[in-house]
Every structure is written in structure tokens, then in C-alpha cells.
Amino acid sequence: MVDEKNKAARGLYEKNGYELVARDPRGMKVIPTEWQLKEVPVTNLCMCKDLKKGGKGGEGVLGGILGGLFGRR
């Protein structure tokens, strides 16, 4: 799972053969402020890599399950 806006992490996953299998727009992350913690909404992406395909991507079983839960791309 990676924040949609985290381009560096997404690029690293993609470079290593991971593919987007699900998108969850209901995510939340906690950020510190000067006096408190604040929750902000984020869209999380599920990136999967099918190791049976020699690392060339694909969704595999886990990606199929998560894609069904969160909706495809």
C-alpha cells in the first residue's frame, strides 16, 4: 500500500515490477502539527508483484482479492 501522492515510492515499486491492482480513496494518514496529530484523507494504492511470473508484474491471487475489495484501477 502506498499513498497515491508519494511519487518516489510509486516509482520504486513500478521500477521493480509492481503493478497497480487496487485504489482505496478512503485512506487516512496522521501528520504531526505543532500541538497535535491531525488525520488527513489520502488515496492509497495497492501495488502487487506476481513472483510466479518471474517478477514481470501481474496481480496474482492477492491482487485479485484486493482488486475485488477496493475496485480496479
Side-chain angles (χ1 to χ4, degrees):
M1 299 294 279
V2 62
D3 182 343
E4 182 176 54
K5 294 180 181 176
N6 189 341
K7 292 181 182 180
R10 288 175 55 195
L12 180 65
Y13 282 118
E14 290 167 1
K15 178 180 173 184
N16 285 286
Y18 286 76
E19 294 182 351
L20 174 66
V21 294
R23 180 183 309 264
D24 181 9
R26 303 166 297 174
M28 297 294 280
K29 77 175 176 180
V30 177
I31 58 170
T33 65
E34 188 173 337
W35 298 104
Q36 62 186 359
L37 297 176
K38 181 179 178 182
E39 283 189 332
V40 294
V42 296
T43 297
N44 287 317
L45 305 178
C46 178
M47 311 274 301
C48 287
K49 178 176 178 176
D50 188 350
L51 299 178
K52 291 182 181 180
K53 292 186 177 185
K56 295 185 179 177
E59 69 177 37
V61 174
L62 179 61
I65 292 169
L66 292 171
L69 289 173
F70 296 118
R72 301 223 178 261
R73 298 173 208 236

